[in-house]
Amino acid sequence: MDFDLFVIGGGSAGVRCARIAAGHGARVGVAEERFWGGTCVNVGCVPKKLLVQAGEYGGWADDAAGFGWEIHKGPHDWAKLIAAKDREIGRLSGIYRSLLDRAGTQVFETRARFLDAHTLDVGGKRLTAERIVIATGGHPVRFPVPGAELGIISDDAFYLPRMPKRVAVLGSGYIAVEFAGIFAALGAEVDLVFRQPLPLRGFDHDLRESLAEALIAQGIALHPSSLPQRIEADGERRRLIFAGDRTISTDLVFFATGRRPATAAMGLEAAGVATDAAGAVVVDEHLRSSQPHIFAIGDVTNRLNLTPVATAEGHALADSLFGGRPRRISLENVPTAVFSTPPVATVGLTEEQAALRGPVDVYVTRFTPMRHTLSGRARKSMMKLVVDQATQRVLGAHMLGEDAPEIMQGLAIALVMGATKADFDRTIGIHPTAAEEFVTLRTRTRVAGVAKAAE
Ligand SMILES: Cc1cc2nc3c(=O)[nH]c(=O)nc-3n(C[C@H](O)[C@H](O)[C@H](O)COP(=O)(O)OP(=O)(O)OC[C@H]3O[C@@H](n4cnc5c(N)ncnc54)[C@H](O)[C@@H]3O)c2cc1C
């Protein structure tokens, strides 16, 4: 065999797995067809957050007047922002590549696919490996509607030659609401068009309601329970046509309507690797596919599509296979954030999920953050704890508001450790902060869920 381990895909999951395995002494090959660092570094988390931060400056410049500053805000230079972002992304992508070189892996800048269960075609070369890891991630998909090709996907949004004046974002998952916020903060008129009654399906209901209010306060026009029937070009402009001939005329249509695992044309059948209806590689708790020596990690398994999960899986798999330290990654209590404006962050169960298990005490607070008592900006924060009534364990923490992702990372440790409401209560707050609200929530807002019938 040419390699002990061959990793297909040089994204968050693949790079971590390859370099840790090489560090344990394995002979490792890794193929990447597009960009080292994958989605997160190039067209995901990192450039997205830089664009969110660009938008925040505009709001802060406006807020400053309430604090006595006289700031004259000039126009925003989109091309300058994108050039600066590209330099940073280039630097980071280079670091990912050099990490692999330094770890002693053999890198291939090309596409890889299976010829059989141990043999790969890597850019025209036949290579064999004892074990193979599929870490090919996923890609954005357009919701199927006539004229869909007239719209862009998130990969394109990072390379737009100029900022559109008006944007229609289709979808209401985290990428949709993040980009709606980015475009609005940079001065565009934004329409958010989505099928659900509220954005962020699957998140806590109070959080979804608070986010909808925040998006409206940011000036974004929400079109819930709406689906366009077709999209038409009108010269450079685009028209979304809805039932009853209602239309939205816009400069740019942005499909944030989901992602699909990247498993097409990879020869998975020839290798005996099973996929599910969505095209995701099916894995067991050890990240093993239906073929015992072939594994899959990260977004290609379509379970919890987040960078820290992908890297943790890559690391755990390399340690398990070559480091003599077999371990699994728990997908419970994984904290996550949505970089909307303001952001959302959450860990653990939603009230709706927790209530299915039994009675829960729910604590909710909504307030105007201190900064905005002077800035005059209509911005509210919402914080919430969901507590199991019987054990008093905190099952879920949810927040919409400035710094929510930074706050939630610390709370996640408490939830992972099994903290109770009493543990939160005996923790002294830091004053004056928004975060202290999480340890001073004394009045129960309501009880939810039903007592389980005796078994
Ligand atoms: C717009 C956007 C924003 C996001 N924001 C966040 C965020 O804020 N926080 C967060 O945690 N997550 C975020 N994510 C999700 C995050 O990017 C993914 O969870 C993460 O990148 C998954 O890593 P991965 O290694 O599994 O896949 P990827 O990073 O997609 O890497 C897969 C790599 O495999 C390569 N590849 C595919 N097929 C082949 C082949 N046959 N041969 C060779 N190479 C191949 C691809 O080119 C790619 O580089 C975001 C995603 C998007 C799209």
Side-chain angles (χ1 to χ4, degrees), residues 33-51:
E33 67 174 341
R34 192 169 166 208
F35 35 34
W36 294 104
T39 303
C40 178
V41 169
N42 296 278
V43 288
C45 339
V46 177
K48 180 264 311 274
K49 189 148 179 206
L50 291 173
L51 299 194

Side-chain angles (χ1 to χ4, degrees), residues 143-150 228-232 255:
F143 157 79
V145 58
E149 69 288 349
L150 295 167
Q229 293 188 326
R230 60 183 195 281
I231 298 168
E232 289 176 353
F255 281 84

